[in-house]
Amino acid sequence: EGHAYCIPLEPPWAIWTAEELRDIHRILGAILTHPNSIIIAFNSKFDLMWLRTRNIEARCDCDPMMGATLLDENLPHSLEACVQLYVDPNFHKPEPDKISQWKWEEIWPYNCGDADWTLRLAHVMNMKLPQEPTSEILYHELIMPVQTRTLPSLELTGIYIHEDKLNEADQKCVEEISKHRASIQEHVPQDYIPPVKSKKSLRMGFNPGSPKQLGDLLFNILDLPGGSLTPSGDWSTAESVLIDLKGKHPIVVPITEFRKYSKYKSTYIDAWRTWRDPHGFIHPHYHLRPVTGRLSSDDPNLQQTPRDILIRGILGAPPGWVLLCFDYSQIEMRVAAHYAKDENLIKVFTDGRDVHIETVVLMTGLSPDNIDKETRKKAKAI
């Protein structure tokens, strides 16, 4: 602790020849994979991916960020937050604002500080995790292998975008947006003046994509029932509000469809074009941080892709490959049956019966043949 080194590997600070840099990469690779080395990195996934893109192989034995996540998943897990919680409550990390413009005299103390605080955190985690044996097992057997091996490979490989399907979906969205915009416009009075702040907006006329204008039209002009106000005092046009208005005016359906296709285009089609690499792949970032214990993703958030085949069908396998989807049948319930040693629950699975249908039978006494999808869904929640 209190000692660190920083080696500049890339311009503008690196002063090595190409041959010297190759030697440095080789030596780093040897150190970062040596069986006698203990490799520690905070948010190791980022470092391991960066190294791999430079053809430097590495492993990581300890990631204090993941240890802190296991100890309390509800707290923030930045380096600054972890150091304040576990090492020094007065610690404040300088913001790396415009770091690409920093001078070398600013860069190395910042990087060395990162390394030193990461080491101090690792010492704390090595004391705290053994105090929670189940967390320690989870950390070594699941969290670290996923964080250091699975996720870097997943991100670097990426997900393939079918360009032809992307273009087809784009064209479909443009057509649907135009069609539903025209349907909405049929219900807008010709003398209607939308609430706008500029003459330019006024000249453009009614904009169905504006929640403020839409709320004014629905509840002030068309006088539809059931309106509610947002904290800022405008009419709410949230999805739940539109659902309640269905069947009460013919404008509601085209508004819902207009919104759906507008979101498809902006959130998925246009965004995926931006994120796509020259080989047709997008590379979401995956995180093991949510309170639920599941993965999350961003840039882009692939896990919120709509089920609609128009959008989901854009994602797939590159030519010559096949994308397989696997879903473990009622895996959580099987794990529960195993740990609870519940004889009835175990028998349901060994007999090959549907556990959710059996739940409905127990609750209602209905025959399995008389149980519809909606009732099974309620039992599933239970």
Side-chain angles (χ1 to χ4, degrees), residues 199-210:
K199 290 181 179 178
K200 181 182 177 182
S201 298
L202 195 60
R203 283 196 301 273
M204 292 171 70
F206 176 71
N207 174 16
S210 163

Side-chain angles (χ1 to χ4, degrees), residues 136-156:
E136 189 179 29
I137 292 168
L138 193 62
Y139 176 77
H140 290 296
E141 295 189 9
L142 180 68
I143 299 298
M144 283 303 292
V146 170
Q147 172 78 350
T148 62
R149 296 202 294 271
T150 307
L151 296 188
S153 295
L154 197 60
E155 287 191 23
L156 289 170

Side-chain angles (χ1 to χ4, degrees), residues 27-76:
I27 294 165
L28 280 175
I31 294 169
L32 295 174
T33 55
H34 196 282
N36 293 339
S37 298
I38 298 173
I39 312 298
I40 302 167
F42 193 92
N43 190 16
S44 55
K45 175 169 69 76
F46 176 85
D47 298 282
L48 291 166
M49 286 176 58
W50 190 94
L51 289 164
R52 201 181 292 184
T53 58
R54 273 73 176 175
N55 295 316
I56 303 172
E57 282 304 311
R59 71 169 200 281
C60 180
D61 305 302
C62 173
D63 186 335
M65 185 181 84
M66 302 317 298
T69 302
L70 270 178
L71 291 174
D72 193 329
E73 69 274 18
N74 294 294
L75 294 174

Side-chain angles (χ1 to χ4, degrees), residues 4 9 19-20 28 36 47 52 61-62 73 76 95 115 125 128 133 140 189 195 200 229 241 277 344 348 356 370 381:
L9 292 181
E19 189 177 346
E20 287 171 333
L28 280 175
N36 293 339
D47 298 282
R52 201 181 292 184
D61 305 302
C62 173
E73 69 274 18
E95 285 296 321
M125 293 301 140
K128 284 189 171 292
H140 290 296
K200 181 182 177 182
L229 297 178
V241 173
D277 71 14
N344 292 331
V348 167
H356 304 310
N370 297 329

Side-chain angles (χ1 to χ4, degrees), residues 165-373:
K165 292 182 180 178
L166 184 73
N167 293 334
E168 287 171 18
D170 197 359
Q171 183 61 35
K172 169 80 172 171
C173 286
V174 169
E175 290 168 2
E176 292 292 325
I177 290 167
S178 177
K179 180 177 80 175
H180 295 300
R181 186 193 292 273
S183 297
I184 294 167
Q185 198 64 43
E186 289 174 7
H187 302 283
V188 180
Q190 288 190 343
D191 59 350
Y192 174 60
I193 300 174
V196 293
K197 293 182 179 179
S198 69
K199 290 181 179 178
K200 181 182 177 182
S201 298
L202 195 60
R203 283 196 301 273
M204 292 171 70
F206 176 71
N207 174 16
S210 163
K212 186 180 181 75
Q213 293 183 34
L214 194 60
D216 181 63
L217 176 70
L218 293 176
F219 301 110
N220 291 337
I221 307 303
L222 300 179
D223 200 26
L224 295 182
S228 61
L229 297 178
T230 65
S232 60
D234 296 321
W235 290 108
S236 172
T237 60
E239 187 179 355
S240 57
V241 173
L242 294 180
I243 289 171
D244 290 341
L245 289 175
K246 265 192 174 175
K248 294 177 181 174
H249 195 284
I251 197 174
V252 177
V253 171
I255 287 172
T256 305
E257 291 298 295
F258 173 85
R259 279 191 169 179
K260 180 177 85 171
Y261 286 103
S262 296
K263 183 176 182 179
Y264 281 1
K265 180 160 171 55
S266 62
T267 305
Y268 304 104
I269 296 168
D270 293 345
W272 288 353
R273 280 193 201 282
T274 306
W275 290 110
R276 191 176 50 167
D277 71 14
H279 305 289
F281 288 82
I282 54 175
H283 302 268
H285 298 306
Y286 296 94
H287 308 285
L288 261 175
R289 288 190 297 231
V291 174
T292 60
R294 295 187 174 208
L295 282 179
S296 66
S297 64
D298 56 38
D299 296 340
N301 183 349
L302 208 66
Q303 290 158 286
Q304 287 188 345
T305 305
R307 291 184 178 275
D308 191 329
I309 194 65
L310 180 71
I311 301 301
R312 189 161 286 196
I314 297 169
L315 305 171
W321 292 78
V322 174
L323 181 64
L324 293 179
C325 246
F326 292 96
D327 182 10
Y328 289 107
S329 172
Q330 300 166 342
I331 186 63
E332 292 92 344
M333 295 298 295
R334 294 175 191 273
V335 170
H338 171 76
Y339 278 107
K341 297 180 173 56
D342 184 301
E343 290 180 10
N344 292 331
L345 194 53
I346 291 169
K347 189 160 175 27
V348 167
F349 286 121
T350 54
D351 291 351
R353 289 179 282 148
D354 184 320
V355 68
H356 304 310
I357 294 288
E358 295 296 323
T359 305
V360 179
V361 171
L362 286 169
M363 288 166 54
T364 65
L366 287 170
S367 162
D369 300 329
N370 297 329
I371 296 168
D372 60 21
K373 220 173 179 180

Side-chain angles (χ1 to χ4, degrees), residues 14-24:
I15 55 169
W16 322 106
T17 65
E19 189 177 346
E20 287 171 333
L21 193 56
R22 276 195 296 274
D23 282 342
I24 291 170

